[in-house]
């Protein structure tokens, strides 16, 4: 492998002005509905929502109010993610009211910060003697990490340094406490997040020590003797502060400290922790040129995306520990598939793409965005899935405790409210995932409509991308300017796309696809590129080692995975079988929002048995013809509650 | 419905002398291996087995030794079940050594019994002030129930009354404490068992008050306001004595006290509790002529066997609460399917059969015996399944916590050792399930080889039943005597049997089958009956509402459900598909024990994808022909550890 580096710079938020009607519905939702709503929740001003207390915790820590800490040990991170998302919307569009709201919160954060830079309200409110004593469970570095990400986002959006300086002081304090040097603690975060935040802080400030600290945390993790075990052994009688229960012996697989990070080959344990860590690993590998670490990232990327990822881009097969299980174990009925884990997978993909320009990273980003991310947020924007069902049988969720975590309707907010603000910050920063450049070539990943002004070399690319909708398959790209008179544009050909055509100024262009990108050389200003992807719906199968999907197929159109719902197909979806020779018909007037096409195809339904038949009887295939009607997975559960299934027998 | 009663008396143990070579292997095992082994375990004399302490608890309670109680709150029941099983073997064959051993234990039990008749070592050892204060969790009536069953079994085997008298005193004490009368507690058992034991005590003694007490417990259960909730509310700060943890609010579905028993229509909650209760309900219905209660039994029977029973006769779909879930929810991968629950289902079936002569009861008994019961005990007799896997993927059991309760190899003994002694007492009393009589007709249910001497009317049936093996399908019945010169024999035609023939003295006999029985009128002494069942293997399907089995079939031959094992078919059994037009070949020299035939048939195997293929790709059916080799489910896991599956795609 050649020496590695972060060759491909993703667009800054301010370099991309999105005009995509499909996505702006969601990004507008974030700005107009989600952020104001979340702000109310964080301030306990939303009637009906469970108590958050997040802002009050800061007021108490700042001495502005008296009271007790309330919430999860990671309650601070809800506020941090909100500031991060709000900052992204500021980068896209100035909003003085929002800005002054954030300034006010920053003042609160500053007041809650301790003299030495420490910032975590859970400990500051009455538990200062316990700081850093339970890294395994207590999330203080996780919260500080999210706050650092928020500070970087706010700094990049506004140019104001105050919050950044606050969080630099916090990072400096962490650096004073942890590290390989004599007298420092050799610990690392129980929930990875700070590692990637420090890499962003390094990017924003140029201060190498933040990158070094991130690198230290990653290199130290999982070394023997294990820090968390020592922590647990030396304070065995200590209890988790919140519940008053005895701390259990740490599960090292759970937080990926079972062996040194560089030796990990399979994704295990808590899925969000895992993908956040892999993201930080890619950051550090790219920024330090660490080839070994990058090889590990590649191995883990392959493991996650080629062996442990649902067709919707969801990851984490089990509810127990919200965790990865093992290769090809992707049960549909009991899937956990947490929204945050998929958001983390996008973070990981984007970092890999900085080092290695390969279409498979954007393939995964696209898969996650158009399926899991969109599905997790209700059309109204105020209801969310935390767990993303890959199959839904309402009666089973109610009556079989093994499936009780699978819910058919999105919820308002959660006791553990990690997912909604995570979706908000992702949707508010979609611009980051649209294109990159290596200074010479402009790489287009996702064909969201928008105006791109991307500095490259000594000039910049000015490009207008227009598409009708994500299911039209047609993108028009108008080149207004290229650096140094002649440019190169690389167009991603999605992994799902079997046929495509590219015309430049109405002439068909022949070009090879290399690692998922079609390279157009000699692009000139005023060039007009028309890209057409075949959007014929088709059947997809899973690797035969995925037992849960054996003998089954899913329907996909473009990046959209489709599913069957009870409301269109009757109950007992397991009785349906796809006719392998079926044609597919798109029905755009099916009454779904945004004129999303429904897909109609042929199949069979097993005939019901007469009442009174015994449960088991001699085999005889008795089916009748059936018309199957599929809707995009991301829209499921927005009409009537009922069954849903992605994989159907064939 | 006509008025009901226990019209059909099952054979007493002493009326049937079994000579069946297939079953005697197991019943000999019980006498020669299991009982001596269990005795050692109960006495903590078996190196390697976890501590039982069951006998020591009695010694301590009797004041013969000092020490603390050790074990589960229901540890006493292990000893009780052992005595019950040992007594059954005594009924079949005199054994003075065993008898004196039991006599010694009875002495111990008598010494451990309190003055007032109370008998439960968990409470007697240092917790006498807490007797009857936590019926929901503490199993004291459950243990006394098993001890009553043991006493009845010993009395019937030996005619000795001492133990029976001890347990009558105990039952009298319970009757003094509980009942509808002023001043008595209105409670009932947290784990049903005493209810059916009291019915047996009534049978053995003729004392109506025991039947009345059983009836009271059943009628009181689930009445509002709920006893367990009141118990919990009035002592909310009380803790479960064993763990020191706060008692959780009782889950009334768990122990079937969510509504009055007579109103229950679906099997819910802990499966063993449920089937034990249904058994007692049938007892009380039959003995008191309670038609309403019997209708409830019928409804519950239908619910369990036509909607919630695995093809192996196993019940209880979820590990969580070891419980029934709901209609047609029979997931294979996560099935709990506890052995004890199937033993209880046999108890229920046998009681229903006393009232209602219908072949479906014996159909279920046979299904459970030849599949779940036999599978749960290893060939050597010292290893048992507590949970009976309906599908096995070893890596999933290891790495997916949702499946960790599914084990591929039988274990020596269990921390909670309810199942092994339950199997022992069942196998030691197989005679009970072979035939019944209404005083006029002899009903043959299971065609185990044996000599039957069944009093009926003013005479008796003397009949010799001979079959080669359970898979020969041929049974010869030699009639040596009938009551009053001319008898009627009803032969059960099993539900699985599609074709059969009956010859009397070599003449083909035409006769109608009524409710699963073929009635032969005018049977004379010296008649020779030859019954032949078609044992051609065939494919079975489940009701299409069983989603887990949709598009799949199982192979069955006679009563034996077959399964595929990795050792014969390679790994990834989910990649196999049955050719629906296949023929079946029996291979009797396949090296399985007892010359059990393996079944060979045609199918397909999905071709593997080349390494490096993505996880999802366009659908294309790529299969190669495969020969499938199935073994009886009851033998699975006796060779190499590996995958197992009953249901295969078709």
């Amino acid at each position: 492998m050649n020496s590695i580096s972060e060759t491909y710079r993703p667009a800054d938020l301010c370099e991309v002005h999105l005009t995509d009607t499909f996505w702006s519905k969601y990004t507008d939702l974030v700005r107009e509905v989600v952020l104001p709503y979340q702000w109310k929740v964080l301030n306990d001003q939303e009637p009906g929502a469970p108590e958050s207390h997040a802002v009050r915790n800061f007021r108490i820590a700042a001495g502005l109010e008296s009271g007790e800490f309330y919430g999860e040990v990671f309650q601070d991170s809800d506020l941090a993610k909100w500031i991060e998302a709000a900052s992204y919307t500021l980068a896209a569009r100035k909003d003085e009211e929002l800005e002054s709201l954030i300034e006010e919160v920053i003042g609160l954060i500053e007041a809650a910060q301790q003299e030495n830079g420490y910032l975590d309200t859970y400990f500051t409110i009455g538990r200062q003697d316990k700081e850093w004593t339970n890294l395994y469970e207590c999330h203080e570095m996780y919260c500080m990490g999210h706050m650092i990400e928020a500070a970087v986002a706010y700094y990049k959006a506004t140019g104001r340094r105050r919050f950044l300086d606050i969080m630099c002081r916090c990072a400096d304090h962490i650096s004073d406490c942890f590290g390989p040097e004599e007298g420092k603690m050799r610990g690392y975060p129980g929930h990875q997040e700070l590692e990637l935040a420090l890499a962003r802080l390094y990017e924003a400030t140029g201060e190498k020590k933040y990158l070094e600290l991130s690198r230290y945390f990653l290199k130290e993790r999982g070394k023997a003797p294990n820090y968390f075990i020592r922590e647990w052994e030396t304070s065995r009688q200590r209890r988790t502060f919140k519940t008053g229960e005895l701390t259990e012996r740490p599960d090292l697989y759970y937080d990926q400290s079972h062996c040194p990070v560089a030796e990990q080959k399979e994704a295990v344990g808590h899925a969000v922790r895992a993908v956040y860590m892999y993201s930080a690993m890619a950051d550090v590998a790219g920024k330090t040129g660490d080839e070994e670490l990058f090889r590990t990232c590649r191995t883990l990327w392959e493991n996650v995306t080629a062996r442990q990822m649902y067709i919707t881009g969801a990851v984490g097969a089990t509810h127990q520990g919200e965790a990865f299980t093992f290769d090809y174990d992707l049960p549909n009925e009991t899937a956990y598939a947490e929204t945050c884990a998929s958001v983390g997978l996008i973070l990981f993909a984007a970092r890999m793409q900085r080092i290695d320009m390969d279409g498979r990273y954007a393939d995964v980003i696209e898969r996650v965005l158009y399926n899991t991310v969109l599905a997790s947020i209700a059309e109204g924007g105020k209801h969310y899935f935390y767990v993303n069902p890959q199959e839904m049988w309402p009666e089973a969720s109610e009556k079989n405790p093994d499936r009780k975590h699978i819910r058919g309707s999105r919820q308002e907010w959660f006791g553990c409210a990690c997912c909604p603000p995570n979706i908000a910050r992702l949707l508010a920063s979609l611009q980051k995932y649209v294109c990159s450049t290596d200074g010479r070539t402009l790489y287009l990943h996702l064909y969201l409509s928008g105006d791109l002004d991307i500095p490259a070399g000594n000039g910049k690319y000015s490009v207008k991308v227009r598409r009708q909708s994500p299911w039209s398959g047609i993108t028009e790209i108008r080149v207004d300017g290229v650096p140094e008179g002649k440019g190169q544009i690389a167009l991603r050909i999605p992994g799902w796309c079997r046929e495509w055509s590219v015309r430049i100024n109405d002439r068909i262009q022949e070009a090879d696809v290399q690692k998922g990108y079609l390279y157009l050389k000699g692009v000139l200003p005023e060039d007009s590129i028309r890209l057409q992807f075949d959007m014929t719906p088709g059947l997809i199968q899973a690797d035969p080692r995925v037992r849960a999907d054996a003998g089954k197929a899913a329907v996909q159109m473009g990046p959209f995975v489709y599913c069957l719902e009870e409301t269109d197909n009757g109950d007992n979806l397991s009785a349906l079988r796809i006719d392998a020779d079926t044609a597919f018909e798109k029905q755009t007037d099916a009454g779904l929002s945004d004129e999303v096409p429904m897909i109609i195809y042929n199949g069979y339904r097993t005939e019901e048995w007469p009442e009174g038949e015994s449960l088991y009887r001699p085999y005889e295939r008795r089916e009748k013809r059936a018309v199957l009607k599929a809707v995009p997975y991301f829209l499921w559960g927005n009409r009537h509650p009922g069954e849903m299934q992605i994989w159907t027998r064939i």
Side-chain angles (χ1 to χ4, degrees), chain A:
Chain A
M1 188 180 286
N2 294 324
S3 84
I4 60 140
S5 65
E6 287 187 340
T7 307
Y8 309 95
R9 183 184 69 80
D12 258 358
L13 298 193
C14 58
E15 296 166 4
V16 174
H17 174 65
L18 289 182
T19 60
D20 193 276
T21 49
F22 178 81
W23 281 102
S24 64
K25 185 181 145 189
Y26 292 93
T27 51
D28 289 354
L29 199 64
V30 169
R31 198 179 58 248
E32 293 162 13
V33 178
V34 178
L35 288 174
Y37 174 77
Q38 290 184 344
W39 177 249
K40 279 194 190 164
V41 174
L42 292 167
N43 284 277
D44 305 307
Q45 292 161 355
E46 180 62 32
E51 191 173 359
S52 159
H53 214 267
V55 170
R56 262 198 88 197
N57 287 335
F58 278 89
R59 295 183 59 80
I60 295 166
L64 302 172
E65 215 172 286
S66 64
E68 294 291 313
F69 175 91
Y70 175 87
E72 300 289 335
V73 289
F74 45 84
Q75 207 75 358
D76 286 5
S77 65
D78 287 355
L79 184 63
K81 284 187 234 172
W82 181 85
I83 301 172
E84 189 185 345
S87 300
Y88 294 148
T89 69
L90 282 185
R93 185 200 291 213
K94 211 161 165 59
D95 179 336
E96 284 180 12
E97 203 182 325
L98 181 61
E99 207 168 321
S100 68
L101 201 64
I102 299 176
E103 279 293 323
E104 210 181 293
V105 179
I106 291 168
L108 200 56
I109 292 168
E110 192 165 29
Q113 185 174 37
Q114 294 180 27
E115 200 68 34
N116 60 12
Y118 185 93
L119 177 65
D120 187 287
T121 69
Y122 175 75
F123 285 94
T124 299
I125 303 172
R127 293 187 188 90
Q128 288 191 31
D129 59 315
K130 298 213 166 68
E131 288 169 10
W132 308 134
T133 61
N134 187 350
L135 299 186
Y136 179 67
E137 293 174 301
C138 286
H139 287 68
E140 40 205 325
M141 294 203 252
Y142 170 86
C143 290
M144 295 178 200
H146 272 300
M147 211 52 97
I148 288 171
E149 287 207 86
V152 169
Y154 187 71
Y155 167 67
K156 294 189 82 170
T158 62
R160 297 226 184 98
R161 281 201 64 103
R162 178 165 67 136
F163 193 16
L164 193 69
D165 291 339
I166 292 168
M167 293 319 299
C168 283
R169 285 199 297 278
C170 178
D172 293 342
H173 176 61
I174 299 170
S175 172
D176 291 343
C177 297
F178 294 92
E181 298 85 3
E182 188 69 27
K184 292 186 180 177
M185 287 179 275
R186 297 291 293 258
Y188 36 84
H191 190 314
Q192 302 92 316
E193 152 63 28
L194 178 61
E195 296 89 334
L196 71 89
L198 287 168
R200 295 188 70 186
L201 191 59
Y202 159 68
E203 280 173 21
T205 61
E207 281 284 356
K208 266 228 132 154
K209 72 170 177 180
Y210 300 135
L211 181 62
E212 278 311 307
L213 185 59
S214 174
R215 191 178 186 209
Y216 156 75
F217 283 136
L218 291 170
K219 295 274 168 184
E220 189 67 22
R221 189 173 207 89
K223 275 191 187 166
N226 187 283
Y227 185 84
F228 296 131
I229 297 294
R230 279 179 293 151
E231 180 184 79
W232 176 76
E233 282 174 347
T234 55
S235 54
R236 201 184 277 231
Q237 291 313 306
R238 180 173 42 73
R239 286 145 190 273
T240 52
F241 315 130
K242 191 177 149 78
T243 62
E245 279 165 23
L246 265 175
T247 306
E248 279 187 11
R249 187 182 173 88
D251 172 1
L252 303 181
Y253 284 85
Y254 175 70
D255 71 3
Q256 299 83 32
S257 67
H258 57 294
C259 75
V261 166
E263 293 170 20
Q264 300 190 15
K265 308 229 177 304
E266 290 168 357
V268 296
H270 187 255
V272 174
R273 283 171 166 78
V275 290
Y276 280 17
M277 181 175 85
Y278 307 156
S279 300
M281 287 160 66
D283 271 331
V284 170
K287 290 181 205 312
T288 64
D290 187 332
E291 289 174 32
E292 189 202 350
L293 193 58
F294 184 65
R295 269 196 299 275
T296 303
C297 290
R298 281 275 281 267
T299 302
L300 291 165
W301 171 266
E302 283 302 309
N303 183 265
V304 172
T305 61
R307 299 178 177 211
Q308 298 204 62
M309 181 181 73
Y310 287 95
I311 192 171
T312 54
V315 292
T318 179
H319 170 59
Q320 296 191 53
E322 306 176 310
F324 285 107
T325 56
F326 66 103
D327 294 359
Y328 307 110
D329 181 42
L330 294 164
N332 292 303
E333 314 96 70
T334 53
Y336 194 62
E338 185 182 340
T339 302
C340 282
S342 282
V343 170
L345 185 56
I346 289 181
L347 301 179
F348 182 26
R351 281 156 178 79
M352 293 299 282
Q353 200 184 44
R354 289 191 192 191
I355 303 167
D356 177 25
M357 189 49 64
D358 189 319
R360 57 186 163 170
Y361 303 115
D363 279 350
V364 167
I365 292 173
E366 190 180 55
R367 185 186 291 277
V368 174
L369 281 177
Y370 284 103
N371 299 290
T372 298
V373 167
L374 286 186
S376 73
I377 187 162
E379 289 199 288
K382 290 186 184 175
H383 296 79
Y384 306 86
F385 275 135
Y386 186 101
V387 169
N388 291 282
Q390 307 296 299
E391 187 174 306
M392 182 69 211
W393 182 11
E395 199 172 4
S397 291
E398 188 194 332
K399 296 179 179 171
N400 183 331
D402 302 325
R403 298 202 191 182
K404 67 172 181 289
H405 59 287
I406 311 287
R407 301 196 181 185
S409 53
R410 296 162 180 87
Q411 295 166 265
E412 278 228 335
W413 192 266
F414 305 95
C416 169
C418 58
C419 296
N422 231 345
I423 302 168
R425 69 182 185 134
L426 176 74
L427 289 174
S429 60
L430 272 185
Q431 298 96 322
K432 289 187 191 178
Y433 307 100
V434 163
C435 62
S436 336
T437 180
D438 57 3
R440 205 167 57 88
T441 306
L442 176 68
Y443 294 86
L444 294 180
H445 311 306
L446 305 175
Y447 299 97
L448 274 50
S449 294
D451 300 343
L452 284 51
D453 277 289
I454 312 293
N458 293 323
K460 68 169 186 173
Y461 280 98
S462 287
V463 164
K464 285 189 172 59
V465 178
R466 296 291 180 272
R467 67 167 181 189
Q468 244 179 295
S469 76
W471 38 88
S472 71
I474 297 168
T475 308
E476 307 273 0
I477 300 162
R478 163 81 188 185
V479 181
D480 290 329
V482 296
E484 295 157 44
K486 212 173 197 181
Q488 176 165 273
I489 295 182
L491 302 172
R492 173 175 154 265
I493 306 298
W496 49 261
C497 184
R498 283 164 258 177
E499 284 181 44
W500 65 88
S501 69
V502 186
R503 288 163 193 265
I504 302 189
N505 305 325
D506 261 345
R507 288 189 316 277
I508 288 214
Q509 187 76 12
E510 301 290 341
D512 281 347
V513 174
Q514 288 165 38
K515 288 173 79 176
Y517 288 83
L518 190 147
Y519 287 79
L520 301 179
K521 296 191 172 80
V523 175
L524 300 170
E526 316 260 311
D527 271 356
S528 171
I529 304 167
R530 184 187 163 89
L531 181 57
Q532 185 157 3
F533 296 138
D534 179 18
M535 297 291 285
T536 309
L539 294 169
I540 302 292
Q541 66 186 333
D543 188 303
R545 286 169 288 192
V546 180
R547 289 153 199 248
D549 302 334
K552 295 181 176 180
V555 169
Q556 193 170 334
M557 186 185 72
F560 295 102
V561 172
Y562 272 66
C563 66
L564 300 176
E565 284 199 282
E566 181 177 342
T567 189
D568 305 306
N569 298 279
D571 69 355
N572 194 4
L573 300 176
S574 82
L576 295 171
R577 183 167 71 88
I578 301 169
D579 176 348
D581 300 319
T582 186
F584 295 92
E585 189 192 310
K586 294 186 205 176
Q587 193 177 316
T588 48
D589 57 353
L592 301 178
S593 65
D594 285 323
E595 295 176 2
V596 177
M598 190 178 256
I599 298 177
I600 317 288
Y601 49 106
N602 294 322
Y604 304 89
R605 177 179 271 280
T606 308
E607 285 188 21
E608 283 171 23
W609 291 7
E611 253 342 290
E613 271 280 355
S614 64
L615 193 51
Y616 303 104
R617 73 175 198 189
Y619 177 78
E620 184 188 2
R621 179 170 276 182
R622 296 192 64 172
E623 294 176 325
K624 52 190 176 195
R625 291 216 150 260
V627 172
L628 278 57
K629 298 176 184 179
V631 297
Y633 172 74
F634 82 86
L635 279 182
W636 91 271
N638 272 300
R639 294 174 299 166
H640 307 291
E643 294 181 32
M644 181 278 291
Q645 113 182 343
I646 295 170
W647 294 97
T648 300
R649 292 186 293 114
I650 188 161

